[in-house]
Amino acid sequence: MSDKPHDYCGIFGIYNHPEAAVHTYYGLHALQHRGQESAGIVTSWFDPEKSIPVMPQHKGFGLVLNVFENQKIFTEKLLGHAAIGHNRYSTSGAAANAQNIQPFRVHYKNGNLAIAHNGNLTNAAALRKMLEERGVIFQSTSDTELILHLISHSDKSTQLDQILDALGQIEGAYCLLLLTDEKLIAVRDPNGFRPLVLGKKDESWVVASETCAFDINQVELIRDIKPGEVLIIDRQTMESGMPRSLHLEPIHGTGDSQCIFEYVYFSRPDSRIFGENTDKVRRKIGKYLAKEFPIPDVTSTRTDKVPIVISVPDSSNTAALGYAHENQKQGNDCKYEIGLIRNHYVGRTFIAPGQASRDVKVRTKFNTVKGVLKDRVVFLVDDSIVRGTTSAHLVNMIRNAGPKEIHFLVSSPPIMHPCYYGMDFPSPEELIANVHRGNIEDIARSIGADSLHYLSPEGLVDAVREANPEGRGFCTACFTGKYPVPVSSRMLKEENEYY
Protein backbone atom coordinates (compact mmCIF):
# COMPACT_ATOMS: atom_id res chain seq x y z
CA MET A 1 0.00 0.00 0.00
CA SER A 2 2.74 2.46 -0.94
CA ASP A 3 1.69 6.09 -1.15
CA LYS A 4 3.73 6.66 -4.30
CA PRO A 5 3.17 5.53 -7.89
CA HIS A 6 5.21 2.59 -9.12
CA ASP A 7 6.95 2.16 -12.41
CA TYR A 8 6.55 -1.37 -13.64
CA CYS A 9 10.14 -2.34 -14.48
CA GLY A 10 13.76 -1.60 -15.24
CA ILE A 11 15.69 -3.37 -17.99
CA PHE A 12 19.36 -3.87 -18.87
CA GLY A 13 21.09 -5.66 -21.75
CA ILE A 14 24.67 -6.17 -22.89
CA TYR A 15 26.23 -7.77 -25.96
CA ASN A 16 29.79 -9.00 -26.54
CA HIS A 17 31.28 -9.05 -23.06
CA PRO A 18 32.83 -12.10 -21.32
CA GLU A 19 31.20 -11.06 -18.02
CA ALA A 20 27.83 -10.13 -19.46
CA ALA A 21 25.85 -11.48 -16.49
CA VAL A 22 27.98 -9.67 -13.92
CA HIS A 23 27.52 -6.32 -15.66
CA THR A 24 23.81 -7.03 -15.95
CA TYR A 25 23.71 -7.71 -12.21
CA TYR A 26 25.30 -4.34 -11.44
CA GLY A 27 23.02 -2.63 -13.94
CA LEU A 28 19.94 -4.10 -12.26
CA HIS A 29 21.30 -3.05 -8.88
CA ALA A 30 21.47 0.55 -10.11
CA LEU A 31 17.93 0.25 -11.46
CA GLN A 32 16.54 -1.25 -8.26
CA HIS A 33 14.27 1.78 -7.74
CA ARG A 34 12.29 0.82 -10.86
CA GLY A 35 11.19 -2.56 -9.50
CA GLN A 36 11.71 -4.23 -6.15
CA GLU A 37 9.56 -7.36 -6.17
CA SER A 38 11.61 -9.66 -8.38
CA ALA A 39 14.66 -9.77 -10.62
CA GLY A 40 16.05 -12.01 -13.31
CA ILE A 41 18.87 -12.49 -15.81
CA VAL A 42 19.07 -14.60 -18.99
CA THR A 43 22.31 -15.15 -20.86
CA SER A 44 23.13 -16.61 -24.27
CA TRP A 45 26.09 -18.87 -25.03
CA PHE A 46 27.14 -21.84 -27.11
CA ASP A 47 27.38 -25.06 -25.09
CA PRO A 48 30.41 -26.96 -26.49
CA GLU A 49 29.37 -30.25 -24.89
CA LYS A 50 25.90 -30.22 -26.47
CA SER A 51 27.04 -28.32 -29.57
CA ILE A 52 23.97 -26.07 -29.37
CA PRO A 53 23.22 -22.50 -28.30
CA VAL A 54 21.57 -22.34 -24.87
CA MET A 55 19.99 -19.67 -22.65
CA PRO A 56 20.55 -20.25 -18.94
CA GLN A 57 18.47 -18.13 -16.59
CA HIS A 58 18.20 -17.25 -12.93
CA LYS A 59 15.39 -15.24 -11.37
CA GLY A 60 13.40 -14.97 -8.20
CA PHE A 61 11.43 -12.81 -5.79
CA GLY A 62 13.18 -10.06 -3.87
CA LEU A 63 15.85 -7.43 -4.40
CA VAL A 64 18.73 -7.95 -6.80
CA LEU A 65 21.19 -8.50 -3.93
CA ASN A 66 19.02 -11.30 -2.56
CA VAL A 67 18.16 -13.02 -5.84
CA PHE A 68 21.83 -13.21 -6.90
CA GLU A 69 23.54 -13.57 -3.53
CA ASN A 70 25.26 -16.84 -4.55
CA GLN A 71 28.31 -15.93 -6.66
CA LYS A 72 28.35 -19.38 -8.25
CA ILE A 73 25.34 -18.26 -10.28
CA PHE A 74 27.74 -16.15 -12.37
CA THR A 75 30.69 -18.55 -12.54
CA GLU A 76 28.81 -21.80 -13.17
CA LYS A 77 25.35 -20.95 -14.55
CA LEU A 78 24.94 -17.55 -16.24
CA LEU A 79 27.67 -17.99 -18.83
CA GLY A 80 27.91 -16.26 -22.19
CA HIS A 81 28.82 -12.98 -23.87
CA ALA A 82 25.29 -11.55 -24.03
CA ALA A 83 22.64 -11.06 -21.37
CA ILE A 84 19.42 -9.25 -20.55
CA GLY A 85 18.06 -8.49 -17.08
CA HIS A 86 14.85 -7.24 -15.54
CA ASN A 87 13.67 -5.70 -12.27
CA ARG A 88 9.96 -6.03 -11.74
CA TYR A 89 7.19 -4.26 -9.97
CA SER A 90 3.70 -5.70 -10.33
CA THR A 91 0.18 -5.05 -9.18
CA SER A 92 -0.68 -6.84 -5.95
CA GLY A 93 -2.85 -9.47 -7.62
CA ALA A 94 0.00 -10.75 -9.76
CA ALA A 95 2.84 -10.24 -7.31
CA ALA A 96 2.94 -13.81 -5.98
CA ASN A 97 2.91 -15.46 -9.41
CA ALA A 98 6.41 -16.74 -10.12
CA GLN A 99 5.44 -17.24 -13.77
CA ASN A 100 5.37 -13.45 -14.13
CA ILE A 101 9.02 -12.93 -13.21
CA GLN A 102 11.00 -11.71 -16.21
CA PRO A 103 12.91 -12.08 -18.44
CA PHE A 104 10.72 -14.66 -20.15
CA ARG A 105 12.57 -17.36 -22.07
CA VAL A 106 11.27 -19.80 -24.69
CA HIS A 107 12.57 -22.22 -27.27
CA TYR A 108 10.57 -22.44 -30.51
CA LYS A 109 11.07 -23.45 -34.13
CA ASN A 110 13.54 -20.63 -34.88
CA GLY A 111 15.68 -21.07 -31.78
CA ASN A 112 15.96 -19.57 -28.33
CA LEU A 113 14.32 -16.27 -27.45
CA ALA A 114 14.18 -14.22 -24.26
CA ILE A 115 12.39 -10.93 -23.57
CA ALA A 116 12.39 -8.19 -20.92
CA HIS A 117 9.67 -5.55 -21.02
CA ASN A 118 9.08 -2.19 -19.34
CA GLY A 119 5.65 -0.73 -20.06
CA ASN A 120 2.04 -1.64 -20.62
CA LEU A 121 0.24 -2.74 -23.79
CA THR A 122 -3.05 -0.89 -24.25
CA ASN A 123 -4.44 -3.51 -26.66
CA ALA A 124 -3.43 -6.49 -24.50
CA ALA A 125 -7.01 -7.69 -23.93
CA ALA A 126 -7.78 -7.83 -27.65
CA LEU A 127 -4.51 -9.62 -28.43
CA ARG A 128 -5.01 -12.14 -25.65
CA LYS A 129 -8.53 -12.95 -26.87
CA MET A 130 -7.26 -13.42 -30.43
CA LEU A 131 -4.47 -15.76 -29.32
CA GLU A 132 -6.75 -17.76 -27.02
CA GLU A 133 -9.11 -18.33 -29.94
CA ARG A 134 -6.11 -19.76 -31.80
CA GLY A 135 -5.60 -22.24 -28.97
CA VAL A 136 -2.70 -20.53 -27.23
CA ILE A 137 -2.22 -21.51 -23.58
CA PHE A 138 -0.79 -18.78 -21.37
CA GLN A 139 1.63 -19.45 -18.53
CA SER A 140 1.47 -15.98 -16.96
CA THR A 141 -0.84 -13.00 -16.53
CA SER A 142 1.74 -10.61 -17.99
CA ASP A 143 1.17 -8.80 -21.28
CA THR A 144 4.83 -9.52 -22.08
CA GLU A 145 3.96 -13.13 -22.84
CA LEU A 146 1.66 -11.89 -25.61
CA ILE A 147 4.68 -10.65 -27.55
CA LEU A 148 6.36 -14.06 -27.43
CA HIS A 149 3.24 -15.78 -28.75
CA LEU A 150 2.85 -13.22 -31.52
CA ILE A 151 6.44 -13.92 -32.56
CA SER A 152 6.07 -17.71 -32.47
CA HIS A 153 2.77 -17.61 -34.41
CA SER A 154 4.07 -15.28 -37.10
CA ASP A 155 4.12 -16.71 -40.62
CA LYS A 156 7.29 -14.76 -41.49
CA SER A 157 10.34 -16.86 -42.31
CA THR A 158 13.18 -15.25 -40.35
CA GLN A 159 13.28 -14.61 -36.62
CA LEU A 160 13.88 -10.88 -37.11
CA ASP A 161 10.89 -10.59 -39.44
CA GLN A 162 8.77 -12.49 -36.94
CA ILE A 163 9.77 -10.03 -34.23
CA LEU A 164 8.97 -7.07 -36.48
CA ASP A 165 5.64 -8.66 -37.35
CA ALA A 166 4.78 -8.93 -33.64
CA LEU A 167 5.87 -5.34 -32.96
CA GLY A 168 3.50 -4.18 -35.68
CA GLN A 169 0.56 -5.62 -33.73
CA ILE A 170 1.17 -4.21 -30.24
CA GLU A 171 0.11 -0.78 -28.99
CA GLY A 172 0.83 1.28 -25.92
CA ALA A 173 3.98 1.92 -23.93
CA TYR A 174 6.86 -0.51 -24.20
CA CYS A 175 10.62 -0.70 -24.00
CA LEU A 176 11.80 -4.16 -24.93
CA LEU A 177 15.02 -6.13 -24.88
CA LEU A 178 14.97 -9.34 -26.90
CA LEU A 179 17.83 -11.81 -26.77
CA THR A 180 18.21 -14.42 -29.49
CA ASP A 181 20.97 -16.92 -30.11
CA GLU A 182 22.76 -14.32 -32.25
CA LYS A 183 21.32 -10.89 -31.48
CA LEU A 184 20.39 -8.36 -28.83
CA ILE A 185 17.43 -6.31 -30.03
CA ALA A 186 16.30 -3.13 -28.26
CA VAL A 187 12.90 -1.57 -28.97
CA ARG A 188 11.25 1.65 -27.85
CA ASP A 189 7.60 2.27 -28.68
CA PRO A 190 6.80 4.91 -31.34
CA ASN A 191 5.51 7.38 -28.73
CA GLY A 192 8.60 7.01 -26.54
CA PHE A 193 6.72 6.75 -23.23
CA ARG A 194 9.57 5.15 -21.29
CA PRO A 195 13.29 6.04 -21.39
CA LEU A 196 15.83 3.74 -23.02
CA VAL A 197 19.50 4.56 -23.62
CA LEU A 198 22.34 3.08 -25.67
CA GLY A 199 25.93 2.88 -24.45
CA LYS A 200 29.27 1.31 -25.18
CA LYS A 201 31.97 -0.26 -23.03
CA ASP A 202 35.10 -1.00 -25.04
CA GLU A 203 33.82 -3.42 -27.71
CA SER A 204 30.56 -4.17 -25.90
CA TRP A 205 27.17 -2.56 -26.53
CA VAL A 206 24.83 -1.84 -23.63
CA VAL A 207 21.15 -0.83 -23.34
CA ALA A 208 19.39 0.28 -20.15
CA SER A 209 16.35 2.10 -18.82
CA GLU A 210 18.51 4.84 -17.27
CA THR A 211 22.11 6.01 -17.46
CA CYS A 212 22.73 5.28 -13.76
CA ALA A 213 23.04 1.65 -14.89
CA PHE A 214 25.83 2.78 -17.23
CA ASP A 215 27.72 4.70 -14.55
CA ILE A 216 28.09 1.73 -12.22
CA ASN A 217 29.50 -0.30 -15.14
CA GLN A 218 31.67 2.54 -16.54
CA VAL A 219 29.74 2.53 -19.79
CA GLU A 220 29.92 5.48 -22.18
CA LEU A 221 26.54 6.96 -23.05
CA ILE A 222 26.10 7.05 -26.83
CA ARG A 223 22.55 8.38 -27.12
CA ASP A 224 18.88 7.86 -26.34
CA ILE A 225 17.20 5.15 -28.34
CA LYS A 226 14.66 7.07 -30.40
CA PRO A 227 10.89 6.64 -30.17
CA GLY A 228 9.90 3.88 -32.58
CA GLU A 229 13.48 2.69 -33.02
CA VAL A 230 14.42 -0.98 -33.29
CA LEU A 231 18.16 -1.48 -32.71
CA ILE A 232 19.77 -4.73 -33.83
CA ILE A 233 23.09 -5.55 -32.16
CA ASP A 234 24.94 -8.60 -33.51
CA ARG A 235 28.23 -9.69 -35.08
CA GLN A 236 27.56 -7.38 -37.99
CA THR A 237 27.55 -4.53 -35.47
CA MET A 238 31.04 -5.54 -34.33
CA GLU A 239 32.25 -5.27 -37.92
CA SER A 240 30.43 -2.07 -38.91
CA GLY A 241 30.87 -0.29 -35.59
CA MET A 242 27.21 0.66 -35.20
CA PRO A 243 23.94 -1.23 -34.58
CA ARG A 244 21.43 -1.44 -37.40
CA SER A 245 18.40 0.76 -36.85
CA LEU A 246 14.84 0.17 -38.05
CA HIS A 247 11.80 2.33 -37.34
CA LEU A 248 8.24 1.67 -36.19
CA GLU A 249 5.52 4.12 -37.20
CA PRO A 250 3.29 5.73 -34.54
CA ILE A 251 -0.29 4.52 -34.41
CA HIS A 252 -3.32 6.68 -35.12
CA GLY A 253 -1.15 9.65 -36.05
CA THR A 254 -0.02 10.21 -32.45
CA GLY A 255 3.21 12.00 -31.61
CA ASP A 256 5.95 11.64 -29.02
CA SER A 257 4.54 11.19 -25.53
CA GLN A 258 7.40 10.81 -23.07
CA CYS A 259 6.22 10.24 -19.50
CA ILE A 260 6.74 13.50 -17.63
CA PHE A 261 6.47 11.63 -14.33
CA GLU A 262 9.86 10.07 -15.07
CA TYR A 263 11.33 13.51 -14.41
CA VAL A 264 9.07 14.22 -11.43
CA TYR A 265 9.66 11.02 -9.49
CA PHE A 266 10.65 7.75 -11.14
CA SER A 267 14.15 8.27 -12.50
CA ARG A 268 17.18 8.60 -10.28
CA PRO A 269 18.40 12.21 -10.04
CA ASP A 270 21.83 11.15 -11.31
CA SER A 271 20.35 9.68 -14.51
CA ARG A 272 20.09 11.34 -17.88
CA ILE A 273 16.81 10.49 -19.61
CA PHE A 274 14.90 11.94 -22.56
CA GLY A 275 18.05 13.88 -23.44
CA GLU A 276 18.51 15.75 -20.15
CA ASN A 277 19.76 15.27 -16.58
CA THR A 278 16.96 14.47 -14.16
CA ASP A 279 18.52 16.62 -11.42
CA LYS A 280 18.55 19.68 -13.68
CA VAL A 281 14.90 19.20 -14.62
CA ARG A 282 13.80 18.79 -11.01
CA ARG A 283 15.54 22.02 -10.03
CA LYS A 284 13.64 23.81 -12.79
CA ILE A 285 10.41 22.26 -11.53
CA GLY A 286 11.17 23.68 -8.08
CA LYS A 287 11.84 27.05 -9.69
CA TYR A 288 8.44 27.11 -11.39
CA LEU A 289 6.79 26.02 -8.15
CA ALA A 290 8.31 29.12 -6.54
CA LYS A 291 7.11 31.28 -9.42
CA GLU A 292 3.55 30.10 -8.95
CA PHE A 293 3.64 30.05 -5.14
CA PRO A 294 6.36 32.35 -3.74
CA ILE A 295 6.76 32.35 0.02
CA PRO A 296 5.11 35.76 0.66
CA ASP A 297 1.98 34.64 -1.21
CA VAL A 298 1.74 31.43 0.79
CA THR A 299 2.10 32.80 4.31
CA SER A 300 1.63 36.14 6.05
CA THR A 301 3.22 35.02 9.32
CA ARG A 302 6.04 37.23 10.51
CA THR A 303 8.63 35.76 12.88
CA ASP A 304 12.18 36.58 13.87
CA LYS A 305 13.24 33.29 12.33
CA VAL A 306 13.71 32.79 8.59
CA PRO A 307 11.16 30.44 6.94
CA ILE A 308 12.68 27.08 6.08
CA VAL A 309 12.23 24.88 3.02
CA ILE A 310 12.55 21.14 3.57
CA SER A 311 12.01 18.13 1.33
CA VAL A 312 10.51 14.69 1.74
CA PRO A 313 13.69 12.73 1.04
CA ASP A 314 14.94 11.57 -1.32
CA SER A 315 13.12 12.17 -4.62
CA SER A 316 12.03 15.70 -3.64
CA ASN A 317 15.46 16.97 -2.61
CA THR A 318 16.39 18.78 -5.80
CA ALA A 319 12.92 20.26 -6.38
CA ALA A 320 13.07 21.69 -2.85
CA LEU A 321 16.50 23.14 -3.59
CA GLY A 322 15.10 24.75 -6.74
CA TYR A 323 12.16 26.17 -4.79
CA ALA A 324 14.42 27.69 -2.11
CA HIS A 325 16.90 29.08 -4.63
CA GLU A 326 14.23 30.78 -6.74
CA ASN A 327 12.63 32.37 -3.66
CA GLN A 328 16.02 33.71 -2.61
CA LYS A 329 16.55 35.01 -6.14
CA GLN A 330 13.21 36.84 -5.91
CA GLY A 331 14.32 38.41 -2.62
CA ASN A 332 12.16 36.17 -0.43
CA ASP A 333 14.12 35.32 2.68
CA CYS A 334 14.25 31.55 3.31
CA LYS A 335 16.70 28.79 4.08
CA TYR A 336 16.95 25.25 2.79
CA GLU A 337 17.21 22.84 5.71
CA ILE A 338 17.25 19.13 6.42
CA GLY A 339 14.10 18.71 8.48
CA LEU A 340 13.32 15.07 7.76
CA ILE A 341 15.75 12.17 7.97
CA ARG A 342 15.04 9.03 6.01
CA ASN A 343 15.98 5.58 7.25
CA HIS A 344 17.28 3.69 4.20
CA TYR A 345 17.38 0.34 5.99
CA VAL A 346 13.69 -0.31 6.46
CA GLY A 347 12.73 -3.74 5.11
CA ARG A 348 9.88 -3.87 2.64
CA THR A 349 8.10 -6.50 4.74
CA PHE A 350 8.43 -4.66 8.05
CA ILE A 351 5.47 -5.23 10.39
CA ALA A 352 5.13 -3.13 13.52
CA PRO A 353 5.03 -5.13 16.78
CA GLY A 354 1.41 -5.76 17.63
CA GLN A 355 0.06 -3.72 14.75
CA ALA A 356 0.46 -2.87 11.07
CA SER A 357 -0.50 0.80 11.16
CA ARG A 358 0.71 3.18 8.50
CA ASP A 359 1.65 5.68 11.21
CA VAL A 360 4.21 3.30 12.69
CA LYS A 361 5.52 2.37 9.25
CA VAL A 362 6.01 6.04 8.34
CA ARG A 363 7.87 6.62 11.60
CA THR A 364 10.21 3.74 10.82
CA LYS A 365 11.06 5.39 7.50
CA PHE A 366 11.17 9.08 8.49
CA ASN A 367 12.07 11.08 11.56
CA THR A 368 12.06 14.81 12.24
CA VAL A 369 14.98 17.04 13.17
CA LYS A 370 13.15 18.82 15.96
CA GLY A 371 15.72 21.58 16.53
CA VAL A 372 15.40 22.63 12.90
CA LEU A 373 11.60 22.69 12.84
CA LYS A 374 10.65 24.23 16.20
CA ASP A 375 9.07 27.71 15.97
CA ARG A 376 9.69 27.85 12.20
CA VAL A 377 7.37 28.49 9.28
CA VAL A 378 7.96 25.28 7.33
CA PHE A 379 7.59 24.83 3.57
CA LEU A 380 7.49 21.09 2.92
CA VAL A 381 8.15 20.11 -0.71
CA ASP A 382 7.14 16.70 -2.03
CA ASP A 383 7.07 15.38 -5.61
CA SER A 384 3.49 14.07 -5.53
CA ILE A 385 0.52 13.10 -3.39
CA VAL A 386 -1.32 9.91 -4.27
CA ARG A 387 -3.49 8.60 -1.45
CA GLY A 388 -2.44 11.33 0.94
CA THR A 389 -2.03 8.94 3.87
CA THR A 390 1.75 9.28 4.11
CA SER A 391 1.47 13.04 3.61
CA ALA A 392 -0.92 13.28 6.56
CA HIS A 393 1.41 11.28 8.81
CA LEU A 394 4.41 13.40 7.78
CA VAL A 395 2.55 16.63 8.50
CA ASN A 396 1.53 15.26 11.90
CA MET A 397 5.13 14.29 12.70
CA ILE A 398 6.36 17.75 11.76
CA ARG A 399 3.52 19.37 13.74
CA ASN A 400 4.69 17.50 16.84
CA ALA A 401 8.11 19.17 16.46
CA GLY A 402 6.52 22.55 17.20
CA PRO A 403 6.61 24.63 13.97
CA LYS A 404 4.48 27.78 13.63
CA GLU A 405 3.01 26.76 10.26
CA ILE A 406 3.32 23.93 7.76
CA HIS A 407 2.77 24.70 4.08
CA PHE A 408 2.78 21.69 1.77
CA LEU A 409 4.03 22.26 -1.80
CA VAL A 410 3.83 19.61 -4.50
CA SER A 411 6.14 19.72 -7.52
CA SER A 412 3.52 18.13 -9.78
CA PRO A 413 -0.21 18.68 -10.44
CA PRO A 414 -2.95 16.71 -8.66
CA ILE A 415 -3.06 13.09 -9.82
CA MET A 416 -6.63 12.65 -11.03
CA HIS A 417 -6.49 9.86 -13.61
CA PRO A 418 -5.14 6.32 -13.98
CA CYS A 419 -2.10 5.61 -16.13
CA TYR A 420 -2.35 2.96 -18.85
CA TYR A 421 1.24 3.31 -20.07
CA GLY A 422 3.37 1.58 -17.46
CA MET A 423 2.75 3.34 -14.14
CA ASP A 424 0.74 1.76 -11.38
CA PHE A 425 -1.54 4.07 -9.40
CA PRO A 426 -4.15 3.16 -6.82
CA SER A 427 -7.72 2.80 -7.99
CA PRO A 428 -9.48 6.13 -8.71
CA GLU A 429 -11.47 6.08 -5.46
CA GLU A 430 -8.16 5.96 -3.54
CA LEU A 431 -6.61 9.00 -5.27
CA ILE A 432 -7.03 11.83 -2.78
CA ALA A 433 -7.31 14.49 -5.50
CA ASN A 434 -10.13 12.52 -7.10
CA VAL A 435 -11.87 11.82 -3.79
CA HIS A 436 -12.01 15.58 -3.09
CA ARG A 437 -12.78 16.39 -6.75
CA GLY A 438 -9.72 18.58 -7.00
CA ASN A 439 -10.72 20.82 -4.06
CA ILE A 440 -7.29 21.89 -2.78
CA GLU A 441 -8.56 23.32 0.50
CA ASP A 442 -10.31 20.05 1.33
CA ILE A 443 -7.16 18.08 0.55
CA ALA A 444 -5.10 20.44 2.74
CA ARG A 445 -7.48 19.85 5.65
CA SER A 446 -7.36 16.12 5.02
CA ILE A 447 -3.57 15.98 5.37
CA GLY A 448 -3.49 18.56 8.18
CA ALA A 449 -1.44 21.26 6.43
CA ASP A 450 -2.01 24.99 6.88
CA SER A 451 -2.02 25.30 3.09
CA LEU A 452 -1.46 23.09 0.07
CA HIS A 453 -0.20 24.13 -3.35
CA TYR A 454 0.27 22.02 -6.47
CA LEU A 455 2.33 22.99 -9.49
CA SER A 456 0.02 23.53 -12.46
CA PRO A 457 0.16 21.20 -15.49
CA GLU A 458 1.27 24.19 -17.59
CA GLY A 459 3.96 25.07 -15.06
CA LEU A 460 5.27 21.51 -15.04
CA VAL A 461 5.52 21.36 -18.84
CA ASP A 462 7.12 24.82 -18.98
CA ALA A 463 9.69 23.81 -16.37
CA VAL A 464 10.63 20.67 -18.29
CA ARG A 465 10.77 22.63 -21.53
CA GLU A 466 13.11 25.24 -20.03
CA ALA A 467 15.44 22.53 -18.75
CA ASN A 468 15.17 20.44 -21.89
CA PRO A 469 14.30 22.70 -24.86
CA GLU A 470 15.22 19.96 -27.32
CA GLY A 471 12.89 17.47 -25.65
CA ARG A 472 10.04 15.86 -27.51
CA GLY A 473 6.36 15.78 -26.54
CA PHE A 474 5.41 14.71 -23.03
CA CYS A 475 2.52 12.67 -21.65
CA THR A 476 0.58 14.34 -18.81
CA ALA A 477 -2.44 12.01 -18.84
CA CYS A 478 -2.39 11.22 -15.11
CA PHE A 479 -2.87 14.93 -14.43
CA THR A 480 -5.02 16.02 -17.36
CA GLY A 481 -6.86 12.87 -18.50
CA LYS A 482 -5.66 13.47 -22.06
CA TYR A 483 -4.44 10.08 -23.24
CA PRO A 484 -2.07 10.41 -26.22
CA VAL A 485 -2.55 6.80 -27.38
CA PRO A 486 -6.10 5.43 -27.56
CA VAL A 487 -7.12 3.29 -24.61
CA SER A 488 -9.60 0.45 -24.97
CA SER A 489 -13.10 0.88 -23.55
CA ARG A 490 -12.41 -2.03 -21.22
CA MET A 491 -9.44 -0.22 -19.70
CA LEU A 492 -11.43 3.00 -19.38
CA LYS A 493 -14.42 1.33 -17.73
CA GLU A 494 -13.07 1.60 -14.22
CA GLU A 495 -12.17 5.25 -14.71
CA ASN A 496 -15.60 6.17 -16.03
CA GLU A 497 -17.16 4.81 -12.87
CA TYR A 498 -15.47 7.51 -10.84
CA TYR A 499 -15.06 10.61 -13.05
Side-chain angles (χ1 to χ4, degrees), residues 145-196:
E145 187 181 354
L146 293 166
I147 303 171
L148 290 176
H149 288 301
L150 290 173
I151 293 170
S152 66
H153 281 73
S154 172
D155 58 5
K156 304 297 181 182
S157 57
T158 70
Q159 193 173 45
L160 178 58
D161 285 338
Q162 291 167 354
I163 292 170
L164 294 174
D165 184 27
L167 295 176
Q169 299 177 65
I170 62 177
E171 299 177 1
Y174 54 89
C175 283
L176 305 173
L177 288 177
L178 297 111
L179 185 64
T180 75
D181 292 325
E182 300 176 348
K183 297 175 174 60
L184 172 64
I185 300 172
V187 186
R188 191 172 171 209
D189 72 75
N191 295 87
F193 282 102
R194 300 284 144 215
L196 196 63

Side-chain angles (χ1 to χ4, degrees), residues 237-309:
T237 305
M238 302 300 106
E239 297 172 2
S240 65
M242 188 60 65
R244 284 178 288 160
S245 177
L246 304 175
H247 188 73
L248 303 172
E249 292 299 322
I251 62 168
H252 307 294
T254 57
D256 295 337
S257 310
Q258 298 172 134
C259 175
I260 207 165
F261 218 90
E262 288 280 356
Y263 277 139
V264 172
Y265 173 70
F266 284 139
S267 297
R268 270 180 38 169
D270 53 330
S271 284
R272 183 181 179 89
I273 62 163
F274 301 150
E276 191 49 83
N277 296 322
T278 303
D279 174 82
K280 177 182 176 181
V281 176
R282 287 183 184 163
R283 288 172 189 263
K284 292 293 184 183
I285 291 172
K287 170 185 173 180
Y288 273 75
L289 187 62
K291 284 185 173 183
E292 292 187 359
F293 304 106
I295 285 174
D297 290 356
V298 174
T299 179
S300 59
T301 299
R302 297 291 179 263
T303 70
D304 57 349
K305 293 185 177 181
V306 175
I308 61 171
V309 177

Side-chain angles (χ1 to χ4, degrees), residues 10-284:
I11 57 178
F12 183 95
I14 185 169
Y15 186 88
N16 194 42
H17 197 285
E19 295 185 312
V22 173
H23 285 294
T24 303
Y25 165 80
Y26 283 117
L28 293 182
H29 182 69
L31 296 170
Q32 187 71 85
H33 60 289
R34 299 188 73 91
Q36 301 177 37
E37 290 184 354
S38 62
I41 296 175
V42 172
T43 62
S44 176
W45 71 294
F46 189 85
D47 187 340
E49 293 185 2
K50 298 180 179 179
S51 298
I52 57 171
V54 295
M55 279 191 177
Q57 67 174 352
H58 185 83
K59 52 189 181 179
F61 290 111
L63 303 178
V64 175
L65 289 171
N66 303 125
V67 175
F68 298 97
E69 60 183 351
N70 186 347
Q71 293 187 7
K72 289 185 178 180
I73 294 170
F74 300 99
T75 58
E76 298 178 4
K77 183 178 182 180
L78 294 177
L79 307 177
H81 285 64
I84 60 173
H86 187 274
N87 285 338
R88 174 173 168 266
Y89 168 77
S90 71
T91 58
S92 59
N97 186 353
Q99 298 298 323
N100 286 336
I101 302 176
Q102 295 187 38
F104 291 163
R105 178 197 64 177
V106 296
H107 178 83
Y108 76 119
K109 61 183 178 182
N110 282 45
N112 295 300
L113 180 64
I115 186 171
H117 172 207
N118 173 31
N120 197 34
L121 303 184
T122 56
N123 65 336
L127 291 174
R128 192 178 187 94
K129 181 179 179 181
M130 176 194 72
L131 289 167
E132 286 175 341
E133 289 175 350
R134 294 182 182 178
V136 171
I137 298 174
F138 287 89
Q139 302 297 315
S140 74
T141 59
S142 170
D143 58 359
T144 308
E145 187 181 354
L146 293 166
I147 303 171
L148 290 176
H149 288 301
L150 290 173
I151 293 170
S152 66
H153 281 73
S154 172
D155 58 5
K156 304 297 181 182
S157 57
T158 70
Q159 193 173 45
L160 178 58
D161 285 338
Q162 291 167 354
I163 292 170
L164 294 174
D165 184 27
L167 295 176
Q169 299 177 65
I170 62 177
E171 299 177 1
Y174 54 89
C175 283
L176 305 173
L177 288 177
L178 297 111
L179 185 64
T180 75
D181 292 325
E182 300 176 348
K183 297 175 174 60
L184 172 64
I185 300 172
V187 186
R188 191 172 171 209
D189 72 75
N191 295 87
F193 282 102
R194 300 284 144 215
L196 196 63
V197 286
L198 175 69
K200 195 174 184 186
K201 180 179 177 66
D202 301 322
E203 298 303 313
S204 306
W205 289 91
V206 188
V207 178
S209 295
E210 297 180 33
T211 59
C212 61
F214 287 177
D215 298 336
I216 196 171
N217 283 304
Q218 296 182 304
V219 173
E220 176 192 1
L221 171 65
I222 301 300
R223 62 175 176 86
D224 281 17
I225 293 176
K226 300 173 184 177
E229 190 169 20
V230 180
L231 275 183
I232 303 160
I233 304 170
D234 55 14
R235 287 299 163 192
Q236 184 176 324
T237 305
M238 302 300 106
E239 297 172 2
S240 65
M242 188 60 65
R244 284 178 288 160
S245 177
L246 304 175
H247 188 73
L248 303 172
E249 292 299 322
I251 62 168
H252 307 294
T254 57
D256 295 337
S257 310
Q258 298 172 134
C259 175
I260 207 165
F261 218 90
E262 288 280 356
Y263 277 139
V264 172
Y265 173 70
F266 284 139
S267 297
R268 270 180 38 169
D270 53 330
S271 284
R272 183 181 179 89
I273 62 163
F274 301 150
E276 191 49 83
N277 296 322
T278 303
D279 174 82
K280 177 182 176 181
V281 176
R282 287 183 184 163
R283 288 172 189 263
K284 292 293 184 183

Side-chain angles (χ1 to χ4, degrees), residues 426-480:
S427 58
E429 72 271 23
E430 293 179 283
L431 294 172
I432 191 170
N434 179 57
V435 170
H436 292 281
R437 303 299 179 185
N439 188 311
I440 306 302
E441 292 183 357
D442 284 351
I443 301 173
R445 281 191 291 270
S446 176
I447 66 173
D450 293 296
S451 72
L452 171 66
H453 308 276
Y454 289 92
L455 183 63
S456 68
E458 298 78 16
L460 177 59
V461 172
D462 288 345
V464 173
R465 287 290 183 205
E466 181 176 327
N468 187 8
E470 302 300 321
R472 298 167 179 262
F474 290 94
C475 175
T476 60
C478 57
F479 309 125
T480 63

Side-chain angles (χ1 to χ4, degrees), residues 360-379:
V360 173
K361 289 184 178 181
V362 170
R363 283 189 276 117
T364 63
K365 188 173 183 180
F366 297 104
N367 197 26
T368 56
V369 184
K370 295 179 176 63
V372 169
L373 300 169
K374 185 173 176 58
D375 297 327
R376 292 295 187 99
V377 176
V378 176
F379 291 82

